Amino acid sequence: MEPVLQLVNLKKRFRDKIVHDGLNLALEKGEILSLFGGSGTGKSVALRSIIGLERPDSGEIIFQNRDISKLSEKNLIEVRKRVAYVFQNGALFDSMTVEENLAYPLLEHTKLSLEAVKEKIQAMLSLIGMEGSEDLLPASLSGGMQKRVGLARAIILEPEVILYDEPTAGLDPHNTRNLIGIMDKLRKTGKSGLFVTHDIPAALEVSDRIAILYNKKIHVIDTVENIKKSHDPVVQAFIEGSVSA
């Protein structure tokens, strides 16, 4: 199966700090691939590079059979409709209600009727278990609810790939399970997900494969079962929690 998204020999530095030195990664259609790595190793930089918030110094990011790493900001708009970014804090518009937050990308990027927009919003609220919250402002939502609405807004344009940037950070176990459940539902509809996280138990539960970013490259990429059984000391350090993912 041809990957839906590929990072090919990415190199990135910030002044004297080399972050990526030949990063290679392939995301398959309909899978969730989790990316582990120590703090400051460039996990989020990889996600941000995919949608053009960072620019790699060299290498390629292949999506829909073309290198998107050098696209103009104008051309990246189309990519961002197909590749959604779920920010760690939800990134909602504070002055907009839940309904207005969810409507924004539809009104901005589609020609749907207002009735169709409302139908899409209701479908999203049903997916995230927040029916009846349309008129609430972000300030009145819990952290877990804000993250769920942020996820709903990110996917309302029905992207093919979803980039999850530590979405469970700061959540209690109940809200973490809610979010993981939504991610699993999306995978079952054929969405591909790249999941950057410090939450190793959640990643092991929801992922198809695990990749470990170590020493500026992908050290290993394998199925969850093989990662659990691995005797590689780097892998064991992550799984046992002696290295913060």
Side-chain angles (χ1 to χ4, degrees):
M1 184 183 297
E2 187 163 327
V4 67
L5 177 71
Q6 285 181 279
L7 310 184
V8 183
N9 200 31
L10 287 195
K11 296 188 178 183
K12 177 67 176 179
R13 71 161 63 219
F14 294 102
R15 296 185 180 178
D16 296 333
K17 181 179 180 179
I18 298 173
V19 179
H20 300 146
D21 190 19
L23 179 64
N24 291 283
L25 194 66
L27 178 66
E28 305 293 346
K29 181 174 176 56
E31 77 164 345
I32 291 181
L33 172 61
S34 284
L35 181 59
F36 294 167
S39 297
T41 55
K43 303 182 299 296
S44 293
V45 172
L47 296 192
R48 291 169 62 83
S49 296
I50 292 169
I51 60 167
L53 297 178
E54 300 285 354
R55 299 284 185 163
D57 299 323
S58 62
E60 296 180 316
I61 301 172
I62 307 299
F63 177 66
Q64 294 183 331
N65 298 313
R66 64 171 176 165
D67 180 10
I68 62 173
S69 66
K70 302 172 183 66
L71 291 181
S72 67
E73 190 67 22
K74 180 180 178 180
N75 289 330
L76 278 169
I77 292 173
E78 291 304 312
V79 172
R80 290 168 182 162
K81 294 178 188 177
R82 312 269 37 96
V83 180
Y85 194 108
V86 181
F87 291 90
Q88 182 175 340
N89 62 1
L92 301 176
F93 297 116
D94 292 338
S95 61
M96 293 184 178
T97 64
V98 167
E99 182 175 53
E100 290 166 341
N101 266 281
L102 295 182
Y104 181 82
L106 295 172
L107 297 176
E108 189 76 10
H109 297 297
T110 76
K111 296 181 180 179
L112 293 176
S113 67
L114 290 179
E115 182 180 355
V117 167
K118 284 186 175 292
E119 287 178 0
K120 293 274 284 185
I121 290 170
Q122 290 305 313
M124 284 294 104
L125 292 176
S126 177
L127 173 70
I128 64 173
M130 288 183 58
E131 299 93 332
S133 64
E134 296 92 326
D135 297 330
L136 298 179
L137 288 169
S140 66
L141 303 177
S142 69
M145 293 169 75
Q146 288 185 28
K147 291 194 179 199
R148 279 187 277 160
V149 175
L151 171 56
R153 190 181 65 185
I155 64 172
I156 202 164
L157 292 176
E158 300 185 15
E160 291 136 58
V161 175
I162 306 169
L163 307 178
Y164 299 99
D165 195 356
E166 301 191 27
T168 64
L171 294 184
D172 60 38
H174 175 72
N175 278 305
T176 294
R177 183 156 293 280
N178 279 342
L179 202 62
I180 291 298
I182 295 167
M183 292 170 64
D184 193 42
K185 287 180 184 177
L186 292 169
R187 172 180 55 181
K188 289 174 180 175
T189 67
K191 308 292 186 190
S192 303
L194 186 53
F195 181 23
V196 162
T197 183
H198 285 82
D199 190 340
I200 292 175
L204 294 177
E205 179 182 342
V206 77
S207 302
D208 298 286
R209 291 189 299 153
I210 301 287
I212 294 179
L213 179 55
Y214 180 76
N215 198 23
K216 306 173 183 64
K217 298 180 180 181
I218 297 298
H219 177 75
V220 65
I221 182 168
D222 210 334
T223 64
V224 170
E225 286 307 311
N226 286 342
I227 289 291
K228 286 179 178 178
K229 295 184 293 186
S230 175
H231 296 294
D232 184 315
V234 172
V235 175
Q236 289 182 330
F238 277 96
I239 300 305
E240 294 168 6
S242 59
V243 174
S244 173

